[in-house]
Each structure stands twice: as structure tokens, then as C-alpha cells.
Amino acid sequence: MSRIEQIINEIEEYIDSCKFQALSNSKILVNKEELEELLVELRLRVPEEIKKYQKIISNQDAILREARTQADAMVAEATAQTNELVNEHEIMQRAYAEANSIIEQAQAQAQAIVDGAVTEANNIRQGSVQYTDEMLGSLQTIIKHSMDGAQGRFEAFMSSMQSSFDIVSSNRNELAGSVIREPETEAAAPYMGGEAPME
């Protein structure tokens, strides 16, 4: 497991271990320094991993050069053997036939080495690109998962608050309907003049 994958696992474990903020189902309390330390290391490690595989890809040129060098050496050796055979006059015809056969074999072996080196270099390049893509895809999945989880917790929190609000509103309405008003008493009519009441 690469260091990048370890850091991603540590971030996931750290987020899962954080406590929720009081009265909240969506917000968590994090240690800013600890989380920033993990993110900074992740930010530094990603270019290093990419550079490492870019270096591997660049080594394909060295692989091809080595293969061509081996092929040239084999052809040179075959040519030297041919020249030695040709120098012998008594076996001139045989020397030409053997020389051609050796050269053909050397060329076939050289081509096989070059082809193998090209295939190996392409496989290395494809593997490094695939690994980098998988690594970035994993990071993308983590970020998406965190976003989806935060959205879900926020929606659950809003639903809980709406339910509490509805209950409070219902209770107030019930209280308002249960208030009994006392009937007003008939006040004595005031004396408006005329004959005074008899005693």
C-alpha cells in the first residue's frame, strides 16, 4: 500500500472518529491542525507519486537503448564471425552461407529483444497511468462520499427541526383554543336626572 493510500485511510478514519457538534447531526468538530497536516502531506505525496511513475515511463528510452546496443553487439559479432569465415579461401562458399545464416539469426534475435523492450516499456507506462488514475479516482470517491454524507446529515437535521417546529405550533394552537373568557357583568345604569328615587 502506498503512502497516499495510507493518508486517505487516515483521513477517512479521522472523519469517522470526529464528534458531532452540539445540537447538530451534520456538523462535526475537527482538530484543524491535525486535518491540515494530513491534507498537506497528501498534497505533497501526490506529485511525488506521479513523478515516480513519470520517471519509470522515461526509463523506457533507456530500455530501448540497451536493447539496441545488445542487438548491435550481436550483429557486430556475427559480422566479425562472417569476416573470419570469408578470409578462409577454401571454405568461401560455406562461409557465405554460414555468415548469412548467422546474420539472419542475429537480426531475428535483435528484433525480438527490441520488440520485447517496447512491450515492457508500454506495459510499464500503462500500469503507471492506470495506478495514478485509480488513486485519483479513490480520492474523488472519498470527497464525493463526504459531500453526500454531509448533505444527508443536513437534510436529517432540517427534517428534525421541522418536526419540532410543527409540534410546537400544534401545541400553541391547542392552548389558544382552550382559553376560556369570563362573561362581562351587567353594570348598574347611572342616574340621568328627573325625579329622585324615593327613599
Side-chain angles (χ1 to χ4, degrees), residues 94-140:
R94 180 182 173 187
Y96 277 120
E98 291 182 359
N100 289 334
S101 176
I102 292 172
I103 290 174
E104 288 176 0
Q105 291 178 6
Q107 288 176 340
Q109 292 178 1
Q111 187 61 46
I113 292 174
V114 171
D115 292 342
V118 170
T119 300
E120 182 180 359
N122 289 335
N123 290 338
I124 291 174
R125 168 186 278 176
Q126 183 177 358
S128 62
V129 170
Q130 182 178 356
Y131 173 80
T132 302
D133 181 67
E134 290 175 355
M135 176 188 64
L136 295 176
S138 177
L139 183 59
Q140 185 179 31

Side-chain angles (χ1 to χ4, degrees), residues 3-62:
R3 178 55 186 156
I4 290 180
E5 292 172 322
Q6 292 176 356
I7 296 172
I8 290 172
N9 289 337
E10 289 176 13
I11 292 174
E12 288 180 321
E13 292 173 359
Y14 177 73
I15 291 174
D16 290 338
S17 67
C18 289
K19 295 181 179 179
F20 285 100
Q21 189 174 354
L23 302 178
S24 174
N25 290 328
S26 60
K27 295 181 180 179
I28 60 175
L29 299 173
V30 298
N31 185 317
K32 183 179 179 182
E33 293 181 359
E34 185 174 351
L35 186 59
E36 283 182 346
E37 181 178 341
L38 290 172
L39 292 174
V40 166
E41 185 176 358
L42 179 63
R43 198 174 290 116
L44 292 174
R45 289 284 184 171
V46 168
E48 289 180 2
E49 288 286 330
I50 293 176
K51 286 180 181 178
K52 182 174 74 174
Y53 287 102
Q54 286 177 340
K55 184 176 180 181
I56 292 175
I57 292 172
S58 66
N59 285 341
Q60 67 179 339
D61 293 333

